[in-house]
Amino acid sequence: MALPADAPAWLGALRESERRYRELASLLPQIVYEMDITGRLTFANRQAFEAFGYSQADFERGVHALDIIVPAERGRAGENFRRVMAGERLTGNEYTVKTVDGRTFPAAFYSTPMLRDGQVVGIRGLIVDITERKRAEQTLRQSEQRFRSLVENAVDAIFVHDLEGRLLDCNQCACQTLGYSREELLTMRVVDLDTRHTAEQSRQMAEQLEHQEAITFESEHRRRDGSMLPVEIRLGLLEDSGQRRVLAIARDISERRQAQQQLERSAEQLRQAQKLEAVGRLAGGVSHDFNNQLTIIQGYCDLLLRELGPEHPHYDPLTEIRRATERATGLTGQLLAFSRRQVLRPEVVDLNAVLADLQGPLARMIGEDILLDLLPGAQRGTVWVDRGQFEQAIMNLAINARDAMEAGGKLVLETRTVTLGQPGQQAPARPRPGCYVLVLVSDTGTGMAPELLDRIFDPFFTTKPVGKGTGLGLAMVYGFVEQSGGHIEVTSQPGQGSTFRVYLPLVTEATPAPATVPAPLARPAGSETILVVEDDERVRLLTARILRDLGYNVLVSPDAREALPLGQGHEGSLDLLLTDVVMPEMGGEELADRLRRARPDLRVLYMSGYADHRFVARIAADQGAHFLQKPFCPEELAARVRDVLDA
């Protein structure tokens, strides 16, 4: 409608301003509205009509501002409108609005009072459709919930801390692992948990993360109870509300550490076994040759002593030579025991009974200033061992204990039956799972440093002064126990004594055989034919001489190659093959096997300075084969030959 010609100029200007305002409002993407003090909408732009579905006619009939808000929120909206009418500006009030056809959508109202002559005459504002924002917020909340769920259910401890190391957040695993509540952890710093961490390191790592994606390292966390937890930590940077934070994921690596330690122990045990095997082969070879020489010395000493008699002036010197060979024989016996090449004569024995028999000799040996305490187990500890070698092993352990208690102390011998590697129990690397009789030999002596424990069973290693020990005692014990299918280990600390643990396989299906007293050695004679095969000429000649003196018909050969046709072609009977085990080109076992093809009833007596335990097991299964340990005296040879022929 046009203005009259006499209308004031300001009225025209007002009309023009209002036109421009409406054009501008129609160009805005938001809804623009105006309402009077009664709440009736007096103006709305095109976007309002499109959004709410009102027509111009509806608008002219009157639409109240609260009509576009759902009934449940009209009370809050009315209160906010009254605040604006009182002169307050409100921004971002969110309501659910509805259209003419009943649709609803979320909207944000930005309202400001309309003033005229300083008085509020209405409200002007914008309405923004926030459907997409709400949808994005919902998606974000769901993502945050899923992320939080993942974090809370993670098997690793997760922390968030600032660049100074102050803890800002953590998950449930962190609380459970360390024993703190979330509230307690959030009052702490990284340095309170990580024993190897400092505040300066936190800053340095944060700077380092600027140039790389993540940092991974191993450390230890201190639990609430003071115990230490080995962890692998992975650090990364994250942005949180414009602030740089550090995300730390700590994984419990206790099992990994245990596995690594077990692997290292197994590797060390393998290296130890390989080292002992190498030295054992050398010791076995030396013992073989040495025992040949001792056989010669001892044999001829015995022959001379028998011929000369006690009245002869050379009888006593020869007797000393004979005693020296016995001491040397004991030394080679220790070498063979350590190298696990000694010939064992196992039997089923009750270790409780054996230790009870040893109590008196042990008490006398260790002296009156050391208390000996014997604690037998409740169950009978029956095992399959060489009783004499076991007694010698206990004596060696007791001697070491005595030497470690020069000022007196206490030696305890205890037996137990134990089962290793039960279901649900972690199986040890050594000994293998099974039932064992455990013999503990404990002392209250000076103890040993850790670096000594790694070498305690090495041959010729000793901490005793020169002349006080050969260094073969514990090596011999180790060899005997391993050869018997068991295991030995030691724990010790300086000033707190030592404990040796000897595991021997438990035997339950047999009863111990009664102890027998060996009969005095004699020289039983015979007339059978014996084939002697020995590559050492002097041992061969000595053996043949002893047997001929006893009446036997003796055939001799320096090696298996010559002995084979000799034994096969002999026209008369061949009653016994007496052969060395280790010889060049062909060994005693192969010779015996090939001769038996032609002479199935041939009996075999092997002799050697040492024998592999596998070899001893094989001949034990052969009813016609026997073994004679070098060095031997004429009486032992005579008795053993007669036993084999009469068996």
Side-chain angles (χ1 to χ4, degrees):
M1 185 175 115
L3 291 172
D6 59 348
W10 60 267
L11 184 57
L14 181 62
R15 286 282 183 91
E16 179 61 22
S17 175
E18 184 178 353
R19 184 187 65 77
R20 289 198 300 270
Y21 166 73
R22 292 178 181 273
E23 287 181 357
L24 179 61
S26 65
L27 296 175
L28 292 175
Q30 295 86 6
I31 298 169
V32 180
Y33 73 94
E34 291 180 359
M35 56 183 280
D36 60 21
I37 58 175
T38 66
R40 187 176 67 86
L41 293 174
T42 57
F43 170 75
N45 63 352
R46 176 176 52 82
Q47 285 75 6
F49 291 108
E50 293 175 355
F52 293 105
Y54 288 104
S55 65
Q56 184 65 37
D58 295 331
F59 194 75
E60 291 176 352
R61 282 195 296 270
V63 176
H64 198 279
L66 294 179
D67 292 342
I68 64 174
I69 298 175
V70 296
E73 300 179 17
R74 287 175 183 172
R76 179 168 60 88
E79 178 60 30
N80 287 333
F81 286 150
R82 283 189 287 274
R83 291 170 58 191
V84 178
M85 291 292 185
E88 186 177 349
R89 298 182 62 180
L90 297 180
T91 60
N93 293 113
E94 296 181 7
Y95 310 105
T96 302
V97 297
K98 64 183 184 69
T99 63
V100 171
D101 58 7
R103 289 184 304 106
T104 61
F105 61 89
F109 282 62
Y110 298 83
S111 307
T112 185
M114 294 172 55
L115 300 176
R116 183 178 300 164
D117 298 331
Q119 297 294 321
V120 177
V121 296
I123 297 174
R124 178 184 293 124
L126 299 177
I127 301 176
V128 180
D129 185 346
I130 57 173
T131 301
E132 292 302 321
R133 193 185 83 188
K134 287 291 186 180
R135 186 177 294 119
E137 289 176 352
Q138 177 65 18
T139 302
L140 181 61
R141 279 194 298 272
Q142 292 173 348
S143 298
E144 288 177 346
Q145 290 172 355
R146 286 194 296 268
F147 174 74
R148 192 70 201 184
S149 177
L150 288 173
V151 169
E152 288 300 327
N153 292 294
V155 296
D156 296 327
I158 299 177
F159 304 89
V160 176
H161 62 81
D162 62 19
L163 302 186
E164 302 301 319
R166 287 183 290 267
L167 294 179
L168 304 175
D169 200 0
C170 63
N171 67 346
Q172 187 60 31
C173 180
C175 301
Q176 294 173 347
T177 302
L178 299 177
Y180 293 99
S181 67
R182 187 189 302 271
E183 292 72 20
E184 289 173 322
L185 282 174
L186 298 187
T187 65
M188 301 169 70
R189 303 168 66 92
V190 173
V191 292
D192 298 326
L193 301 177
D194 196 327
T195 60
R196 305 179 183 178
H197 209 75
T198 64
E200 179 60 27
Q201 286 176 323
S202 292
R203 288 189 290 271
Q204 291 175 355
M205 287 182 177
E207 293 175 0
Q208 189 177 349
L209 287 171
E210 295 284 357
H211 309 289
Q212 63 187 85
E213 182 177 347
I215 300 173
T216 302
F217 59 95
E218 291 187 6
S219 188
E220 289 186 339
H221 279 172
R222 182 185 290 108
R223 295 188 179 99
R224 182 178 188 140
D225 61 8
S227 61
M228 304 308 298
L229 176 71
V231 290
E232 179 186 78
I233 301 175
R234 184 176 178 84
L235 300 181
L237 273 184
L238 58 83
E239 294 289 332
D240 182 15
S241 303
Q243 298 291 323
R244 289 186 306 166
R245 309 296 190 198
V246 177
L247 175 67
I249 301 175
R251 173 163 295 178
D252 181 352
I253 57 172
S254 300
E255 293 185 0
R256 184 200 302 177
R257 286 277 181 88
Q258 292 173 357
Q260 289 173 342
Q261 292 170 357
Q262 184 63 52
L263 183 61
E264 290 171 359
R265 285 195 296 269
S266 299
E268 180 57 33
Q269 289 173 348
L270 176 60
R271 286 192 293 271
Q272 178 78 356
Q274 290 172 335
K275 178 173 63 176
L276 292 178
E277 181 65 23
V279 179
R281 289 181 182 276
L282 174 62
V286 170
S287 298
H288 175 267
D289 294 338
F290 193 40
N291 280 333
N292 277 340
Q293 308 310 310
L294 289 175
T295 300
I296 298 166
I297 299 171
Q298 184 171 298
Y300 281 112
C301 272
D302 286 347
L303 291 177
L304 288 172
L305 288 170
R306 180 179 288 269
E307 292 177 3
L308 297 178
E311 304 302 325
H312 196 279
H314 295 317
Y315 189 87
D316 288 341
L318 286 172
T319 301
E320 288 302 318
I321 294 174
R322 182 64 171 81
R323 289 171 180 167
T325 63
E326 291 177 355
R327 289 192 294 270
T329 300
L331 182 60
T332 57
Q334 288 183 325
L335 284 170
L336 291 173
F338 138 69
S339 60
R340 287 172 286 169
R341 286 168 170 81
Q342 65 181 332
V343 178
L344 298 179
R345 294 177 175 84
E347 57 181 316
V348 177
V349 296
D350 183 354
L351 295 188
N352 290 339
V354 174
L355 293 177
D357 292 342
L358 279 177
Q359 190 170 11
L362 283 175
R364 290 189 294 272
M365 183 190 70
I366 62 178
E368 296 181 355
D369 57 341
I370 297 177
L371 174 65
L372 176 62
D373 196 359
L374 182 61
L375 303 175
Q379 294 179 281
R380 190 169 64 179
T382 51
V383 296
W384 178 254
V385 294
D386 185 315
R387 176 176 178 137
Q389 293 296 329
F390 173 77
E391 290 175 346
Q392 184 61 51
I394 295 299
M395 295 289 280
N396 282 338
L397 293 175
I399 289 172
N400 276 278
R402 178 199 65 190
D403 294 344
M405 296 184 289
E406 294 183 355
K410 184 177 182 180
L411 175 63
V412 179
L413 273 65
E414 181 181 358
T415 64
R416 303 174 189 169
T417 54
V418 296
T419 302
L420 303 180
Q422 292 179 319
Q425 179 187 74
Q426 185 177 2
R430 297 293 302 275
R432 289 175 294 184
C435 297
Y436 292 85
V437 177
L438 171 60
V439 182
L440 297 100
V441 181
S442 306
D443 65 67
T444 58
T446 56
M448 292 174 282
E451 59 270 16
L452 296 181
L453 295 181
D454 295 334
R455 303 183 58 194
I456 195 68
F457 297 115
D458 287 3
F460 307 111
F461 174 77
T462 179
T463 58
K464 299 176 183 178
V466 176
K468 292 293 185 180
T470 63
L472 283 174
L474 290 179
M476 188 206 74
V477 175
Y478 178 89
F480 159 71
V481 173
E482 291 287 324
Q483 190 175 351
S484 301
H487 178 66
I488 183 171
E489 59 190 27
V490 58
T491 56
S492 182
Q493 291 185 10
Q496 298 185 25
S498 303
T499 298
F500 287 84
R501 291 175 173 83
V502 178
Y503 296 85
L504 292 170
L506 177 68
V507 175
T508 56
E509 68 276 6
T511 57
T516 58
V517 179
L521 292 176
R523 281 196 182 185
S527 59
E528 291 90 344
T529 299
I530 301 173
L531 173 57
V532 177
V533 186
E534 168 62 59
D535 59 337
D536 188 296
E537 181 181 8
R538 290 168 297 175
V539 176
R540 183 171 68 249
L541 293 176
L542 173 64
T543 304
R545 176 179 173 176
I546 295 171
L547 294 175
R548 287 191 179 111
D549 288 347
L550 293 171
Y552 294 104
N553 178 32
V554 180
L555 307 175
V556 294
S557 174
D559 56 51
R561 292 291 182 187
E562 184 179 311
L564 187 59
L566 179 60
Q568 291 172 335
H570 181 66
E571 293 183 358
S573 65
L574 184 61
D575 301 292
L576 176 67
L577 170 65
L578 176 58
T579 178
D580 193 14
V581 176
V582 181
M583 295 181 291
E585 297 188 35
M586 184 189 301
E589 275 192 283
E590 185 179 353
L591 171 63
D593 181 63
R594 296 178 68 171
L595 279 177
R596 276 177 161 178
R597 296 174 191 173
R599 299 177 180 270
D601 295 332
L602 179 66
R603 297 180 181 274
V604 181
L605 177 57
Y606 295 103
M607 56 181 175
S608 180
Y610 80 92
D612 183 271
H613 64 279
R614 292 181 292 261
F615 167 75
V616 176
R618 287 196 299 272
I619 67 170
D622 185 347
Q623 296 298 320
H626 303 270
F627 185 80
L628 176 62
Q629 174 76 53
K630 293 179 182 178
F632 49 80
C633 65
E635 285 78 7
E636 288 175 321
L637 174 62
R640 195 71 176 130
V641 167
R642 194 68 257 164
D643 288 343
V644 175
L645 289 171
D646 293 340

